[in-house]
Amino acid sequence: MKRVLVTGLGITSPLGADKAASFAAALEARSAVRPAPDDITARLPHVLLAPAAVEPDTLLDKKYGALDRAVQFALVAAQEALADAAIAAAPVDATRFGVFVGIGFGGAHTLDSLYTRYFEAVHTPTHARQNPTIMHPLSVPRMMSNAAAAAVSMRYGLRGPSNTYCVACASSAVAIGEAFRAIRHGYIDAAMVIGTEAMLTAGSLMAWNALRVMAKSDGANPQRSCRPFSLGRSGFVLGEGAAALVLESETRAIKRQAKVVAEMGGYGCSSDAEHLTTPTVHGQVAAMQQALDEARLGPQDVQYLNAHGTATDMGDVIETQSIRAVFGPFSDQLAVSSTKALHGHLIGAGGAMEFALSIMAMNSGSLPPTAHLDQPDPRCDLDFIPLHARHGCNVQAVMSNSFAFGGSNATLLARRYAP
C-alpha cells in the first residue's frame, strides 16, 4: 500500500476568492449568508443564499467564459491547487495523473437558462418570432455532470482516469476518497480532485425550498440565519464554489521534492439503506470507524472534526450521537465545528471545501468556530467551538464528515506527514 500525500490546495468560495481568504474569513466568523436577489425573493421572500465572493470568469481566460458556472469554479480551484503544488500543465507522467470530481447537480445554470429561453420564446409576445427549439449547440456538453472533469483534464493535459461522482452532499468527499484509494493501490500516481457546485438559480432554490430544509431568515441579522447545533436552528443556506486538492503518492512527491501539506490517513464510506432524507447513527458510525481503522488511529488521536452540521433539527442530533458513539470517552476532548454557518452548504463541493479547511486548521493550529452558537441545543453536547476560533492548538489529525440525502455517508481523515 502506497502512502498518499496532499501537495496542493485551492478554494474559491462564498468566504473568499482563494484558500487564504476563505480560511481567514472562517476563522473570523465572517458570514457570507445574505438575502437572495429580487428575482427569487419575488416568489420566495425569505430565501437566503451564500454566493461566491468573486465571479469565477474574472479569474479565467476569456475562452472559458461560455462554460457553465460550476465548471468555471472547478477551473479556478484547480488553478490554485496546481500552482500551490508547483505542478505545470502536461506533466511527463500525464497518463498516471487522474482527475476526480464531485458535483451534486451538474449544469444547473445552463439548464435554467435553457428553460428560461424556451418559455420566453413560447409565452412572451416580444419573442414571438424566436424559434423556441433553437438552443446553443454545446448546451449538452455544458450541462453534463462530467463537464468539469473534462475541462480540467483538457486544460492541464491530464490523461489518467477522469471520474465524476454524483452522491449529493457527499459527492466530493467520495471523489477524494476514491482518488486516495486509486493512488494507494497503485492504479495512478497523482490526482487532481475537485468538488464544485453552482446551483443558486431560481429553479434550484424553489426545489430546495420545497424540501423544508432551508433556514428561516433571522429578522435582526440575516447573516446569522444558519445556526448549526443551536437551539433555534431552522436549516441550511445554499452556497456555491469549489475546492481542489492535489494528491500524490509519496514516491512521486519525494522524487520532485514537493511541499507536503498533509498525509491522507483514511476514508470511510457507507449507506444507511433506510430512509431517503433521514440520517442514521449506524451509517455515520460505520463511515467514521472505517476512516479511523484505515488510518490505524484511535479516537484519542484525532483533535479536530469538521462536522457535516447542516443546522437541521434531526441531522445535528444524529451526528452528535454518531460522534459520541465513535469517540466514546474521548468525545469531550474532541474539538468539533460546522463552518456551514458561514459559507452555506455547497452540496457537491462541501466535502472538498470542508476537508481543505480542516487541513489548513491542522497546519495552522487555528480551529474555525461554529458561528452564531450562543444558545446550544442540549441534545448537541460536544465541544463545538462556539462563536470564536481557537488558536495555538496542537493538531496531529483531522476528520471531516459528509452525509448525503439517499443515505450516503463519507468520512475523510488527514494527518501531519512524518517521512
Side-chain angles (χ1 to χ4, degrees):
M1 294 286 189
K2 298 184 178 182
R3 296 175 74 178
V4 181
L5 309 181
V6 181
T7 57
L9 296 175
I11 297 175
T12 182
S13 77
L15 298 179
D18 56 28
K19 65 173 185 174
S22 295
F23 186 60
L27 291 181
E28 294 168 12
R30 282 191 271 120
S31 174
V33 174
R34 64 191 65 176
D38 292 343
D39 62 331
I40 293 171
T41 56
R43 298 285 183 180
L44 301 172
H46 303 298
V47 166
L48 305 160
L49 45 75
V54 64
E55 289 299 307
D57 59 351
T58 64
L59 304 176
L60 297 168
D61 295 340
K62 289 184 178 179
K63 64 181 179 180
Y64 299 113
L67 297 177
D68 187 81
R69 190 173 177 84
V71 179
Q72 292 175 348
F73 281 133
L75 287 167
V76 170
Q79 183 173 266
E80 183 182 21
L82 286 167
D84 190 39
I87 294 176
V92 294
D93 60 346
T95 59
R96 302 278 299 172
F97 204 127
V99 179
F100 291 67
V101 172
I103 186 167
F105 183 11
H109 278 261
T110 298
L111 186 62
D112 207 65
S113 66
L114 289 178
Y115 283 129
T116 299
R117 186 184 189 282
Y118 178 82
F119 284 106
E120 283 182 348
V122 171
H123 298 292
T124 306
T126 55
H127 293 72
R129 294 183 180 180
Q130 183 176 353
N131 186 339
T133 67
I134 298 176
M135 300 293 173
H136 193 284
L138 295 181
S139 295
V140 170
R142 285 176 178 173
M143 66 183 180
M144 62 190 187
S145 293
N146 67 318
V152 171
S153 174
M154 290 186 288
R155 183 181 187 186
Y156 295 104
L158 306 179
R159 300 180 179 276
S162 177
N163 297 330
T164 299
Y165 299 85
C166 189
V167 198
C169 313
S171 297
S172 56
V174 171
I176 293 168
E178 296 302 321
F180 164 56
R181 284 180 176 171
I183 298 171
R184 187 169 171 81
H185 291 280
Y187 297 110
I188 55 176
D189 297 319
M192 176 77 260
V193 193
I194 305 161
T196 188
E197 200 74 78
M199 62 166 74
L200 301 186
T201 65
S204 296
L205 288 164
M206 288 178 188
W208 281 101
N209 181 71
L211 267 175
R212 301 182 184 275
V213 293
M214 304 281 279
K216 297 176 182 177
S217 181
D218 183 312
N221 184 356
Q223 291 188 317
R224 289 176 46 89
S225 299
C226 182
R227 297 188 291 273
F229 306 109
S230 291
L231 189 61
R233 66 188 180 279
S234 58
F236 57 79
V237 173
L238 284 180
E240 63 175 357
L245 298 87
V246 176
L247 305 186
E248 298 183 66
S249 69
E250 182 184 43
T251 302
R252 186 184 194 277
I254 289 175
K255 183 178 180 181
R256 69 179 193 88
Q257 298 181 316
K259 170 197 70 178
V260 178
V261 179
E263 179 177 2
M264 286 293 303
Y267 163 53
C269 193
S270 70
S271 297
D272 294 339
E274 286 193 17
H275 194 277
L276 191 63
T277 59
T278 302
T280 69
V281 170
H282 67 78
Q284 296 180 5
V285 166
M288 285 187 273
Q289 192 61 56
Q290 286 173 32
L292 284 171
D293 291 346
E294 183 165 33
R296 297 183 179 179
L297 295 179
Q300 72 278 7
D301 299 317
V302 178
Q303 289 77 38
Y304 172 69
L305 188 153
N306 189 296
H308 186 56
T310 56
T312 58
D313 182 68
M314 183 63 70
D316 286 5
V317 173
I318 292 295
E319 187 170 13
T320 300
Q321 294 171 353
S322 301
I323 293 169
R324 283 205 170 276
V326 172
F327 286 84
F330 301 100
S331 298
D332 293 328
Q333 300 174 23
L334 178 69
V336 182
S337 68
S338 171
T339 50
K340 286 185 177 72
L342 303 169
H343 54 66
H345 194 344
L346 272 64
I347 311 299
M353 179 173 169
E354 291 159 18
F355 189 50
L357 291 175
S358 300
I359 290 172
M360 296 176 76
M362 176 176 69
N363 291 337
S364 67
S366 293
L367 309 182
T370 302
H372 326 314
L373 185 56
D374 40 19
Q375 288 186 297
D377 184 336
R379 299 171 296 171
C380 301
D381 57 355
L382 295 167
D383 174 11
F384 287 114
I385 318 178
L387 303 178
H388 305 292
R390 196 168 294 165
H391 303 285
C393 303
N394 179 13
V395 182
Q396 298 298 314
V398 294
M399 181 178 280
S400 179
N401 285 336
S402 296
F403 306 136
F405 284 161
S408 295
N409 308 295
T411 295
L412 299 167
L413 194 151
R415 59 185 165 204
R416 289 182 179 272
Y417 173 58

